[in-house]
Amino acid sequence: MYVRDARNRDEVWLLDHIEALGLDETAFRSRDYVIAVDERSDERAGFGRIRIHKAAEDICELTSIGVLEAWRGQGVGAHVVERLVQEASDQAFDTVYTLSGEPEYLAQFGFEAIDETDLPGVLQDRLESKRDSLDPDAVPMRIEVAAFSMPQRFRDAFKAAAAADSDDEPEETAEDFGIDADEATYKYDTSD
């Protein structure tokens, strides 16, 4: 299992799973995402996004973090969060914010709940919007990137991660690529 930057060809997969998990796709750009991938099967297991808000001082937010059901409880989300915090650090951010309905999960890594009034203005507006549309229980949180800590149990679980039996992702068919199998024509027809 490893976490990599999303590629253009991941865009449809990301949008489908963001919608299925009821996550935020505001200002979607696939290049802002990372994806956890199983190296044995090349199956995508989870994802997350770093979003930079342009303001007087740029603000870094982690958002749209999701793990497919078959991969939950195996450290996938933890490694996605770790990669996003590392990317924030690489971009010279000292502080990372998130607006999450799962504050207990993020607290394991060092994120701390903060008062709404301590959020930068752009995130105060986003919190209100997020509570109105997606997550009424969203809690504002932040972490100093140097304070991030990965519990060893997540590292151990991630090394052995394997998909649970699930029918979450149906097998692709010709119709998924816009081909009508009953009417299909081929570029090189050899019949005379």
Side-chain angles (χ1 to χ4, degrees):
M1 183 68 64
Y2 64 97
V3 179
R4 65 164 169 79
D5 292 339
R7 300 175 182 136
N8 287 342
R9 68 175 180 245
D10 295 316
E11 194 166 294
V12 171
W13 182 88
L14 280 166
L15 286 168
D16 286 349
H17 287 86
I18 289 167
E19 181 180 355
L21 294 172
L23 298 174
D24 183 6
E25 64 182 72
T26 305
F28 176 86
R29 295 181 335 172
S30 60
R31 68 178 179 254
D32 295 337
Y33 283 81
V34 297
I35 296 178
V37 179
D38 178 39
E39 68 267 359
R40 294 176 301 261
S41 66
D42 203 34
E43 186 176 348
R44 293 169 279 198
F47 55 91
R49 175 183 184 196
I50 188 172
R51 183 172 180 197
I52 309 302
H53 298 273
K54 300 293 183 185
E57 181 179 329
D58 289 350
I59 308 298
C60 181
E61 176 192 10
L62 303 189
T63 187
S64 302
I65 299 167
V67 177
L68 278 60
E69 190 171 333
W71 292 94
R72 292 185 183 157
Q74 301 184 66
V76 172
H79 282 77
V80 166
V81 170
E82 179 182 48
R83 174 70 179 269
L84 293 171
V85 170
Q86 182 59 53
E87 286 197 16
S89 177
D90 292 348
Q91 293 183 38
F93 286 97
D94 295 324
T95 305
V96 176
Y97 294 88
T98 189
L99 310 173
S100 175
E102 301 290 336
E104 303 83 19
Y105 178 75
L106 291 170
Q108 299 174 90
F109 310 108
F111 282 84
E112 296 176 338
I114 59 172
D115 191 83
E116 296 172 31
T117 58
D118 291 333
L119 280 173
V122 66
L123 290 181
Q124 289 179 10
D125 295 341
R126 246 187 72 64
L127 178 61
E128 183 179 326
S129 173
K130 189 168 187 168
R131 284 180 173 165
D132 288 343
S133 62
L134 290 171
D135 191 353
D137 300 321
V139 173
M141 302 184 82
R142 75 174 164 218
I143 190 171
E144 300 301 318
V145 295
F148 181 87
S149 174
M150 172 74 78
Q152 188 60 42
R153 70 182 184 280
F154 290 128
R155 293 208 187 282
D156 295 340
F158 194 66
K159 289 176 189 174
D165 290 333
S166 173
D167 293 332
D168 283 351
E169 218 165 304
E171 186 176 324
E172 292 178 340
T173 66
E175 290 175 354
D176 292 327
F177 299 96
I179 300 170
D180 180 348
D182 296 330
E183 303 280 328
T185 59
Y186 300 91
K187 184 174 179 179
Y188 302 107
D189 187 355
T190 59
S191 63
D192 286 313

